[in-house]
Amino acid sequence: MSEVIIRDKAEYHARTTDDMQRHLTLPPWSLRQKIALTCRILAAEGHESALAGQITARGDRPGTYWMLSFGLGFDEARASNLLLVDDDLQLLEGDGMVNPSNRFHLWIYRRRPNVNAIVHTHPPYCSALSVVGQPLVAAHMDTAMFYDDCAYLPEWPGPPIGDEEGRIIHEALGDKRAILLAHHGQLVATGTIEEAAVLAVFIERAAHMQVLAQSIGAIKAIDPAIAREAHDYRLKPRAVAATFHYFARRALKHERDVLE
Ligand SMILES: [Zn+2]
């Protein structure tokens, strides 16, 4: 019988990262195509709340941002019907109305140079937690990316079309990737549009899990060291890209026009 080789777990993490680098690649979609795909993915995941919510990303030129035209639902997004705006929400490219609620995104982009994409939505389970005043609890492998990485804003500053709401929300977010906004919804702010899409899907699944779990018992906390390991594992960039690719393939089965 051959001898069992026992290695340090760090070796397996390194090998997994290398394998992901070699095997997990995305099609050459443009940024606009990935924003439109993100809109369709979130529509399919139950994030639609009529016209509420916004998905934005930094444009190539500094101080420019892509977003969906106000009046369109997430399920109507296409690469060709996005708008490019400047850092005062003035229209630069595209045809449509700029969403005035995107002003608080600008506050986050200004203060967080590492943030290149933001998804803010009002999905049902995040909204349920937000109206009873419960922060998100990350206590499961699938939701470990939010461990110590999801802030909570306990007071609602009102519809976010002014500068004051932007200041309050970006200060509450701090340097975290996600925030639950009381009486409002969720927001994720990340380095890539793929990560924003994946975290937005999973923050709603985490909230759903929390509501389900609390109907049968108290949530048990997970070990902080293990939680941090799982957090970093779930956020390996190629794993995030592969998850985005999977969600995008599902969206594209019936909706090829999203890429146009
Ligand atoms: Zn909102």
Side-chain angles (χ1 to χ4, degrees):
M1 208 168 84
S2 63
E3 199 179 329
V4 176
I5 301 169
I6 307 288
R7 298 184 182 88
D8 189 271
K9 199 171 179 183
E11 277 189 52
Y12 293 116
H13 273 298
R15 188 190 292 181
T16 302
T17 302
D18 286 348
D19 285 348
M20 285 178 174
Q21 210 65 24
R22 256 180 301 126
H23 294 288
L24 304 181
T25 54
L26 271 183
W29 287 320
S30 69
L31 175 61
R32 274 197 272 181
Q33 287 175 323
K34 288 191 278 192
I35 297 168
L37 282 164
T38 299
C39 291
R40 299 289 183 108
I41 288 166
L42 293 177
E45 286 283 324
H47 284 243
E48 174 263 315
S49 182
L51 303 183
Q54 315 91 28
I55 294 166
T56 63
R58 282 189 201 272
D60 289 336
R61 275 180 287 145
T64 64
Y65 307 92
W66 288 106
M67 52 193 57
L68 189 60
S69 175
F70 187 64
L72 294 178
F74 290 158
D75 60 332
E76 297 175 306
R78 293 178 179 207
S80 57
N81 63 17
L82 302 178
L83 307 180
L84 187 71
V85 305
D86 68 12
D87 56 10
D88 190 30
L89 294 187
Q90 298 298 313
L91 186 64
L92 298 173
E93 273 183 58
D95 185 18
M97 176 181 162
V98 178
N99 188 340
S101 295
N102 284 332
R103 190 162 298 281
F104 77 104
H105 292 220
L106 302 177
W107 277 81
I108 297 169
Y109 286 121
R110 280 188 210 118
R111 307 302 168 93
R112 292 273 301 273
N114 61 339
V115 165
N116 292 309
I118 295 173
V119 172
H120 162 62
T121 54
H122 306 178
Y125 290 95
C126 284
S127 296
L129 292 183
S130 84
V131 295
V132 297
Q134 263 192 34
L136 192 79
V137 179
H140 186 278
M141 182 165 164
D142 287 354
T143 60
M145 62 279 260
F146 300 108
Y147 186 82
D148 198 25
D149 219 347
C150 184
Y152 181 63
L153 177 63
E155 303 293 334
W156 183 43
I161 64 168
D163 287 313
E164 182 62 1
E165 297 85 3
R167 183 188 65 75
I168 291 169
I169 292 170
H170 102 77
E171 284 180 2
L173 176 67
D175 60 0
K176 297 198 186 307
R177 284 179 168 83
I179 184 167
L180 201 61
L181 305 165
H183 307 288
H184 191 171
Q186 68 80 27
L187 178 141
V188 295
T190 62
T192 65
I193 185 68
E194 295 94 319
E195 189 173 304
V198 170
L199 289 196
V201 169
F202 276 97
I203 197 170
E204 174 63 355
R205 292 185 183 185
H208 190 173
M209 189 187 298
Q210 189 164 329
V211 170
L212 281 177
Q214 290 179 147
S215 72
I216 54 172
I219 295 173
K220 291 166 69 177
I222 42 178
D223 178 271
I226 292 173
R228 274 188 282 274
E229 180 193 351
H231 167 275
D232 294 351
Y233 185 73
R234 295 304 308 258
L235 289 170
K236 281 181 191 284
R238 286 298 172 98
V240 168
T243 307
F244 177 83
H245 194 189
Y246 166 64
F247 289 140
R249 288 197 305 274
R250 283 201 322 192
L252 286 166
K253 273 182 190 159
H254 309 292
E255 308 180 66
R256 298 297 309 180
D257 64 336
V258 63
L259 297 176
E260 295 165 5

